[in-house]
Structures are given as C-alpha cells and as structure tokens.
Amino acid sequence: KMVMGSFVLLAGALVIQSIAFTVGTILWPFFVRDHFSWGTSEYSIILFLSSLASTAMLAIVPLCAKQRTAMSACIIAAVTGVGGFLCRESSLLSKFSHVAFMTVFLSATQMLDPILKSSATLCMPQVAQGRSFGVLATLTAIGQMVGNIAGPHLYTASKDRGWDNSVPLVAVGALMICGCAMTAMAKLETDVCVLGVDDNTQRSKEQRHLEELRIARYNPLIPKRLDKEN
C-alpha cells in the first residue's frame, strides 16, 4: 500500500543525510589543518580509521534496516558531529575525542543512506519501487551538490568574519535533528496506515462471516460451505 506522506518525509531526511555527510567529509581536513596543524599523513590515517568504521556499520545494515534505527542514527550523528567540531584544543585528549566523534559521525550518516532508501521504497507500491529508488538517488545527488557548495562557503565566510569556523558543522547537527523528526513522523504515519489496513481487513472478514451465517439461516437450499479463503 502507498504511503506518500511517509515517502516524502523519508526523502527529505535522505537529502539532509546527504548534505551532512558531504559537509563533514569536505570540512574535516580543513578543520584538522586549522586547529591541530595536521598534514596529509595525519589526515590519511584518520580517514583510514573512519573508512574501517563505516564499512563495519554498513555490514550490519541488513540486520537493522528499520526506521527506528534511522532515528537513532540521526541523533547519534547530531551529537557526535557537534561534539567533534567543538573539540578544537591542542591537547591530546581533545584530538583523540575529535577523531572518535568524527568517526562515529561519518559512520552513522553513511549508515543512514541505505536504511532511508529501503524504508522509503517500501512506502510505495511494488510497481513503483524502481522509479521511487531513482527519485531517491537523484535527491541524494542534489544533497551532495548542496553540501559541496554550502559547506566550504560557510566555513570560509565564518572564518573571515571572525566567527567560530565550526558554525557550519553545528548547523549540520541541527539538520540531523530535523532528519530524526522527519523519520519519526514518517514512522508514525506508516504505523497508523498499517493499523488501518489491518482493522479494515479484520472487519471485512467479520462481515463475510456474518453474511455466510445469514445465508445459511434464511436460504437452506444453498450448500453450507465456507469460502476457500477460510
């Protein structure tokens, strides 16, 4: 059964996920260069660790590809994204905390992509699932383009104006909270629709049973047999 409202909400959450992942990936090397004075070798190491964590998270997606998991991942990404870019001191603890937070942030946001796409396509009829997946892929590409343009621009603008250059990443954390809310609303609408379908199915079975009893009582010439479905 089609649940268009849930599909739209999950598609919006997917755009937010795409923007957040793109912004985090692009701005991470700038941040560690400006605050920790790290170069290419240090960034390649932390990027390798992040890739390992992301691969491990994607491996468990088939076991937990549910909208409830997507909501949890949005909250984790919001908290760790903001926390990672607030760790900008030169101490060893701050550097370790930053790498840990950002690794979890990138892993959680990357994990969201297949979960949101699978949940959104299930909101559409089977004949439209292929086309809906194409729409979702297009929205992902649009989110990446927005992140590629908005992330570096906001980072440079905030730095030039004397603001904290972690402002765009804090904004990404706020976007992830919005994504969590959209996923929660989509889940609520889907649950209500499923409950309505189950209720209508139960009512139709009861009505058919009462009709059979009425026919058996007032039409004795009609054979008393149950329908093949029962």
Side-chain angles (χ1 to χ4, degrees):
K1 184 178 176 60
M2 181 175 63
V3 189
M4 181 58 71
S6 296
F7 178 83
V8 173
L9 289 170
L10 291 173
L14 183 65
V15 174
I16 291 176
Q17 175 273 335
S18 179
I19 294 174
F21 181 76
T22 304
V23 170
T25 304
I26 290 177
L27 297 188
W28 198 12
F30 299 138
F31 188 89
V32 296
R33 180 199 63 188
D34 295 339
H35 291 277
F36 304 145
S37 299
W38 285 356
T40 306
S41 58
E42 291 86 358
Y43 180 70
S44 63
I45 294 174
I46 60 176
L47 187 61
F48 174 73
L49 296 176
S50 175
S51 299
L52 288 179
S54 298
T55 303
M57 294 296 289
L58 290 174
I60 65 174
V61 165
L63 302 177
C64 55
K66 300 179 180 179
Q67 294 182 25
R68 184 175 301 175
T69 306
M71 288 186 289
S72 301
C74 285
I75 295 175
I76 293 173
V79 173
T80 55
V82 174
F85 283 90
L86 291 178
C87 298
R88 50 184 180 270
E89 302 295 330
S90 58
S91 63
L92 181 61
L93 179 61
S94 178
K95 294 178 181 179
F96 178 81
S97 300
H98 172 78
V99 173
F101 277 136
M102 284 305 300
T103 299
V104 175
F105 168 77
L106 293 177
S107 300
T109 50
Q110 193 167 11
M111 181 183 181
L112 275 171
D113 181 76
I115 295 178
L116 291 174
K117 285 181 178 178
S118 62
S119 299
T121 53
L122 291 177
C123 295
M124 304 298 288
Q126 188 174 3
V127 294
Q129 287 182 357
R131 285 175 291 180
S132 63
F133 191 84
V135 172
L136 295 174
T138 303
L139 293 176
T140 300
I142 293 175
Q144 291 174 352
M145 289 188 293
V146 173
N148 285 327
I149 297 174
H153 177 74
L154 290 176
Y155 187 86
T156 304
S158 61
K159 186 177 179 180
D160 293 341
R161 296 183 181 183
W163 299 344
D164 189 352
N165 54 10
S166 62
V167 167
L169 284 308
V170 176
V172 165
L175 281 177
M176 295 306 296
I177 295 296
C178 295
C180 178
M182 295 172 71
T183 307
M185 289 188 292
K187 185 179 186 305
L188 179 61
E189 183 173 352
T190 302
D191 291 344
V192 170
C193 182
V194 170
L195 288 175
V197 171
D198 292 341
D199 185 60
N200 292 333
T201 303
Q202 184 65 27
R203 288 181 181 178
S204 64
K205 288 182 179 180
E206 293 176 355
Q207 291 175 357
R208 187 165 62 250
H209 181 65
L210 291 175
E211 183 69 18
E212 290 174 352
L213 292 178
R214 187 185 65 80
I215 292 175
R217 180 177 179 181
Y218 296 104
N219 297 280
L221 297 179
I222 297 178
K224 299 180 180 181
R225 64 183 182 86
L226 295 176
D227 191 77
K228 292 183 179 179
E229 295 182 354
N230 297 326

